[in-house]
Amino acid sequence: MKNLIRHTAIIVLSTAIFSCSDGEDGAIGPQGEQGLQGETGQQGDVGAQGDQGDPGTANVIYSDWIPNGFSTGGGANQRLFTLATPQEITDLGVDLDTSVVMVYGRGDNIFFSFGSEVVPLPFERRSIEQLYTFVVSNGRIRVLGLVIGGNSNDFDLFDDYRYVIIPGGVAKSSIDHSTMSYKEITALYNIPE
């Protein structure tokens, strides 16, 4: 009788195991409720100092090329024209008294017959007895043309001018901007032509 019960149990168990079909799963049930928020973990350690970034144009201000604004003719031995008004400087949010200000003139064949050239002001052209410089005063930037002999006072050597302002915080570095060429300044501060 023991064998009969044992065989019957094996047959029933085998039937139950092998008769299960591999059917499809049922539909997915509804979303459960959101659990409670866990506690905030401890602050991690401070990371290592990153590498020094490349210099960029952060805070360096430059104008577009501004057409020559000198009036022509007349008997004056000096002329001024304004590159940036006090309101424009205020809008830029810079203090000209603590900033480095540079002005450049651009014209054709300044030194040689190589086409357009850019030179820093002040610039003296002895062959035509003219001096071009700039003045920073009363919150404005102006270009000044001076006749240093008895020659022309048309002040048309340069076609246009551009200023570059390096605010006090940026300018306080070991860089001597006054010894740098226009190309070096534009490369250092990523200033487009």
Side-chain angles (χ1 to χ4, degrees), residues 118-172:
V118 178
V119 297
L121 301 187
F123 178 78
E124 182 180 353
R125 183 63 180 253
R126 292 180 189 216
S127 64
I128 58 174
E129 299 179 319
Q130 289 182 346
L131 173 67
Y132 295 81
T133 189
F134 68 98
V135 179
V136 177
S137 66
N138 300 320
R140 69 182 60 157
I141 303 170
R142 296 182 290 182
V143 176
L144 172 63
L146 297 165
V147 174
I148 53 177
N151 218 336
S152 169
N153 63 352
D154 285 340
F155 303 111
D156 58 0
L157 181 63
F158 298 108
D159 299 321
D160 41 20
Y161 298 86
R162 164 183 257 181
Y163 61 81
V164 176
I165 302 171
I166 305 170
V170 177
K172 294 190 187 244

Side-chain angles (χ1 to χ4, degrees), residues 21-26:
S21 66
D22 194 21
E24 294 180 24
D25 291 339

Side-chain angles (χ1 to χ4, degrees), residues 3 7 33 35 38 53-54 60 78 80 88 105 110 116 128-129 132 155 166-167 174:
N3 284 339
H7 285 133
E33 290 183 28
D54 293 331
V60 174
Q78 68 180 24
L80 282 168
E88 291 170 323
I110 302 299
S116 184
I128 58 174
E129 299 179 319
Y132 295 81
F155 303 111
I166 305 170
S174 61

Side-chain angles (χ1 to χ4, degrees), residues 18-23:
F18 293 111
S19 65
C20 292
S21 66
D22 194 21

Side-chain angles (χ1 to χ4, degrees), residues 43-184:
Q43 176 70 30
D45 294 335
V46 175
Q49 175 69 31
D51 293 335
Q52 176 68 33
D54 293 331
T57 59
N59 301 327
V60 174
I61 299 162
Y62 52 90
S63 69
D64 290 331
W65 286 101
I66 300 167
N68 184 337
F70 286 118
S71 59
T72 57
N77 285 336
Q78 68 180 24
R79 295 225 170 89
L80 282 168
F81 87 90
T82 301
L83 288 178
T85 66
Q87 185 60 53
E88 291 170 323
I89 296 301
T90 299
D91 292 346
L92 293 173
V94 295
D95 180 1
L96 293 179
D97 293 331
T98 61
S99 301
V100 173
V101 178
M102 296 171 285
V103 177
Y104 299 90
R106 180 173 69 177
D108 289 333
N109 307 320
I110 302 299
F111 294 110
F112 307 102
S113 298
F114 293 137
S116 184
E117 297 174 79
V118 178
V119 297
L121 301 187
F123 178 78
E124 182 180 353
R125 183 63 180 253
R126 292 180 189 216
S127 64
I128 58 174
E129 299 179 319
Q130 289 182 346
L131 173 67
Y132 295 81
T133 189
F134 68 98
V135 179
V136 177
S137 66
N138 300 320
R140 69 182 60 157
I141 303 170
R142 296 182 290 182
V143 176
L144 172 63
L146 297 165
V147 174
I148 53 177
N151 218 336
S152 169
N153 63 352
D154 285 340
F155 303 111
D156 58 0
L157 181 63
F158 298 108
D159 299 321
D160 41 20
Y161 298 86
R162 164 183 257 181
Y163 61 81
V164 176
I165 302 171
I166 305 170
V170 177
K172 294 190 187 244
S173 70
S174 61
I175 298 172
D176 183 2
H177 296 94
S178 67
T179 63
M180 299 177 73
S181 71
Y182 176 73
K183 290 205 179 291
E184 290 169 328

